[in-house]
Amino acid sequence: MRDRRAARDTRRARDFEAFAAGAAGRLLHAAMLLTAEAPEANPRARRLLTLALAHTYARWDRLRGEDPYDCARQYLATRFARTTWHQYGAFGRARPDPRSPLAALTPRERLVLVLRLYEGVAEEQTAALLGLPAERVHTICDRATATVLHPGGPAAARPANAKTALS
């Protein structure tokens, strides 16, 4: 009994290590895109990665056919959204690295853009993950893409908040 448990724990640790070795780089890159931190200075991205991997390891035995990468990516995205909401209020602006190509985007725009374009998550799945209508996800993605592709265009000149636009 004890030998079987030890063998199972060893196999679990080996399987997770193999997953983490293969997925950590891509997940860290996604986290750096979300936080808009520089590659050489990315403490928030590394913390997001650590929490996502820890969460996935805790659920490892219960995944039963689920994709562990999908589990880690979902946790990374929801943790980023929740952290941003609590620290800055309603997806407020964090202080991204100005050298980041996504620095001009709001955290919500970065989140949608990273999930849709970098991770290739379907619009409906992104909407379900974020609790938004699919049309809203589509609009956010279009606006974020326009801002990144045309930094000086009309999307970049939009007001910082709705009250400013109404005043």
Side-chain angles (χ1 to χ4, degrees):
M1 178 81 161
R2 186 177 275 165
D3 291 339
R4 228 182 303 157
R5 177 183 279 177
R8 186 182 65 219
D9 289 346
T10 301
R11 186 176 61 250
R12 175 185 187 212
R14 196 171 349 117
D15 289 348
F16 181 77
E17 284 175 16
F19 161 72
R26 184 171 172 96
L27 286 168
L28 178 60
H29 189 74
M32 286 189 314
L33 290 171
L34 289 174
T35 60
E37 292 177 311
E40 64 277 356
N42 53 18
R44 289 179 54 220
R46 288 184 181 279
R47 177 151 172 77
L48 277 172
L49 172 65
T50 301
L51 291 169
L53 290 176
H55 174 78
T56 304
Y57 184 71
R59 293 193 56 211
W60 193 257
D61 289 335
R62 296 185 312 260
L63 288 175
R64 304 219 197 298
E66 287 181 61
D67 181 11
Y69 185 83
D70 188 45
C71 175
R73 180 183 56 220
Q74 284 181 10
Y75 188 81
L76 188 82
T78 55
R79 182 69 185 217
F80 172 76
R82 188 175 34 234
T83 301
T84 303
W85 179 277
H86 287 293
Q87 286 181 345
Y88 305 103
F91 282 104
R93 283 200 176 270
R95 302 235 186 258
D97 186 312
R99 296 170 293 170
S100 170
L102 304 182
L105 302 178
T106 66
R108 179 180 279 176
E109 289 170 336
R110 284 196 308 264
L111 181 57
V112 168
L113 194 71
V114 168
L115 287 173
R116 293 283 296 123
L117 301 182
Y118 180 72
E119 289 293 325
V121 178
E123 197 168 272
E124 295 78 19
Q125 288 176 307
T126 301
L129 180 64
L130 302 178
L132 297 171
E135 298 80 24
R136 182 75 180 128
V137 168
H138 182 79
T139 302
I140 292 170
C141 188
D142 283 351
R143 184 178 31 202
T145 303
T147 301
V148 170
L149 293 177
H150 309 288
R158 69 181 182 271
N161 62 36
K163 285 187 178 184
T164 308
L166 296 175
S167 299

